[in-house]
Amino acid sequence: MKEVMTLFKEQVSSLGIIFRISRYEDQASYQSHYLGLMWEYLYPLIQIAIYWLVFGVGLKHGQPLNGVSYLPWMVIGISPWFFMNRSTLDASKSIYQRVNMVAKMKFPVSALPTIKVVSNLSSFWTMMVFSIFIGLLNGVYPKVAWFQWLYYFFAMICLLVALGIFNSCISVLVRDYHILLQSVMRMLFYVSGVLFNFVTPSFPAPFVHLLELNPYYYIVNGFRESFLGTGWFWQHPLLTLEFWAFVFFVLLLGSHLHYKFRSRFVDLI
């Protein structure tokens, strides 16, 4: 627990430089491209168009889900998924990409995964505005439940920071881990409720609960319940407890590994 508190203090004390570096990385990533930062927003929009044509028009023939058109239902869920997927993968390789730089500076290595999470927020906000716009065009209007997204946003950031600390350390210790993580994230895309609603009577209850244990599903479903007004987080006490238990466990384990091996990161890389 002491290591978790130390990690938290390092994150808070480094907030200023975390936001400054994240803005710099956003600009540096696309400076050699003609459209520049526009690709930060164009790529997910192109992906959404492809998924909607394949799954919404092709497979489902435009049929609504839970009384809502498939397009807004999908977009509201896929927006946090894009953010979580990219942040998870970027954070996992943050230490072995930049540890040589921070080794020469008075800067906590534990802030590197958080920088990657923060740097992806700009595209996340754009996607959420796009989701709301698509929802309004399809009859999804503001409700009191919309305020609930603040809780799920906080839960999402906690999950990504915890996973970032853990994955970034393991990626240094086992260099093949990042490649494995990419494959796992591709699989999780299809079992996180992003494109399909598996909480139906046709699915066996034990199988459904097993899929609900996925923390990414908890966030995706939470954003949908918030913007579609179909439920509240306190209506799922077991899932909420399981989610936060997972986040705390990953943060505890990740913090322990981080501080155990941090002095050897440069040598290991």
Side-chain angles (χ1 to χ4, degrees), residues 221-264:
N221 185 63
F223 270 86
R224 281 205 181 105
E225 288 191 338
S226 300
F227 287 101
L228 299 180
T230 56
W232 298 88
F233 72 89
W234 58 75
Q235 294 176 326
H236 313 289
L238 182 59
L239 288 180
T240 299
L241 179 62
E242 291 168 343
F243 172 82
W244 286 110
F246 174 83
V247 171
F248 181 74
F249 173 75
V250 172
L251 184 60
L252 197 65
L253 181 59
S255 300
H256 174 70
L257 293 174
H258 180 86
Y259 289 108
K260 181 179 180 179
F261 294 102
R262 183 158 75 172
S263 60
R264 298 171 53 195

Side-chain angles (χ1 to χ4, degrees), residues 51 77-78 81-82 84-85 88-89 159 163 167 177 180-196 198 210-218 220 246:
Y51 290 133
I78 209 170
W81 166 260
F82 277 145
M84 290 189 291
N85 177 64
T88 300
L89 295 175
L159 172 66
L163 286 173
N167 290 331
Y177 179 76
L180 174 63
L181 184 63
Q182 288 178 315
S183 300
V184 171
M185 293 303 294
R186 291 191 190 99
M187 179 192 69
L188 287 176
F189 175 69
Y190 295 100
V191 297
S192 297
V194 179
L195 300 176
F196 310 103
F198 54 76
L210 181 63
L211 292 176
E212 288 177 336
L213 291 176
N214 173 6
Y216 293 98
Y217 166 79
Y218 181 80
V220 168
F246 174 83

